[in-house]
Amino acid sequence: MSVFLETQRLYVRQFRPSDGEALAEILTDPEVTYFEPYEPFSHDFALQEAVNFSSSNEFYAVALKETDRVIGKIYFHDCGKYEKWEIGWTFHANFQGKGFARESVSAFLHEVFQRLPVRKVIAEINGRNLKSQHLAQRLGMHQEACLRKESCHYQDEQGNPLWDDQMIFGLFAEELILS
């Protein structure tokens, strides 16, 4: 098992093709994917994503230590210049509100700031996704921008686009208090 890091309760590791069923539980749930820039996945497509993620350097599985069950994913992408990276997270509905996202993402940020030439990490969060905005703030990230009516993933009953604000949060390496 290729573990990137571990916390008291979790492994953050590379995905494996065998994580497909657990990933499907996350990515097929319309409530979990509501603020994602994609529709809920079909079960088969989610199974294939586990295979795709297993060879990706941008997606990390968050798994319970005691069972190795995947309960979430972390996305980490090099923005291409200025040593700036983007982070995102998605967690199974049954494991939200229990500190797992904060535990794993906080440890992940500490690790990447120590291991990689990362100067800044940003998170782009839907303006209505208050849970993720609060998590970003608890991680020490600062709101840097509000891109008004920036994204459109849904339509109303008449087919009109529903535009959402996009909030940009950022964290510099020197701001992260290493514990």
Side-chain angles (χ1 to χ4, degrees):
M1 168 172 57
S2 180
V3 174
F4 182 72
L5 66 89
E6 65 179 89
T7 68
Q8 181 180 354
R9 302 180 293 172
L10 304 167
Y11 291 121
V12 178
R13 61 169 174 76
Q14 185 174 15
F15 271 95
R16 297 188 293 256
S18 60
D19 293 325
E21 287 297 332
L23 187 61
E25 288 182 26
I26 298 166
L27 298 180
T28 60
D29 184 337
E31 290 184 29
V32 170
T33 61
Y34 185 80
F35 292 115
E36 296 294 335
Y38 50 79
E39 297 289 327
F41 286 25
S42 70
H43 184 266
D44 289 342
F45 192 72
L47 294 177
Q48 183 58 48
E49 278 295 80
V51 174
N52 297 341
F53 288 172
S54 71
S55 61
S56 172
N57 293 324
E58 294 185 339
F59 292 92
Y60 296 83
V62 178
L64 295 171
K65 267 186 172 179
E66 61 189 41
T67 61
D68 200 37
R69 176 187 176 188
V70 172
I71 62 167
K73 70 176 174 65
I74 295 173
Y75 166 74
F76 195 63
H77 170 75
D78 185 350
C79 294
K81 58 183 178 178
Y82 307 122
E83 297 175 339
K84 182 172 79 173
W85 293 67
E86 180 182 1
I87 194 165
W89 49 82
T90 309
F91 280 79
H92 190 290
N94 292 344
F95 295 92
Q96 293 180 11
K98 298 179 180 171
F100 292 114
R102 183 176 185 187
E103 181 178 330
S104 59
V105 177
S106 176
F108 190 89
L109 288 169
H110 280 87
E111 198 69 22
V112 298
F113 278 127
Q114 289 178 2
R115 283 191 195 189
L116 302 173
V118 176
R119 180 184 65 83
K120 181 179 185 178
V121 172
I122 63 166
E124 295 187 21
I125 302 172
N126 183 290
R128 292 184 293 125
N129 188 346
L130 299 179
K131 288 181 183 178
S132 281
Q133 290 180 48
H134 290 139
L135 175 58
Q137 291 168 338
R138 286 191 309 271
L139 293 168
M141 301 182 94
H142 302 279
Q143 183 180 326
E144 296 185 349
C146 172
L147 305 176
R148 295 176 47 213
K149 296 185 179 184
E150 179 71 12
S151 60
C152 178
H153 305 299
Y154 299 98
Q155 299 175 342
D156 66 15
E157 295 80 28
Q158 291 78 38
N160 299 312
L162 295 173
W163 291 96
D164 286 324
D165 294 345
Q166 197 73 6
M167 312 306 283
I168 309 297
F169 288 82
L171 179 68
F172 289 99
E174 62 268 17
E175 293 175 321
L176 188 65
I177 299 169
L178 300 176
S179 52

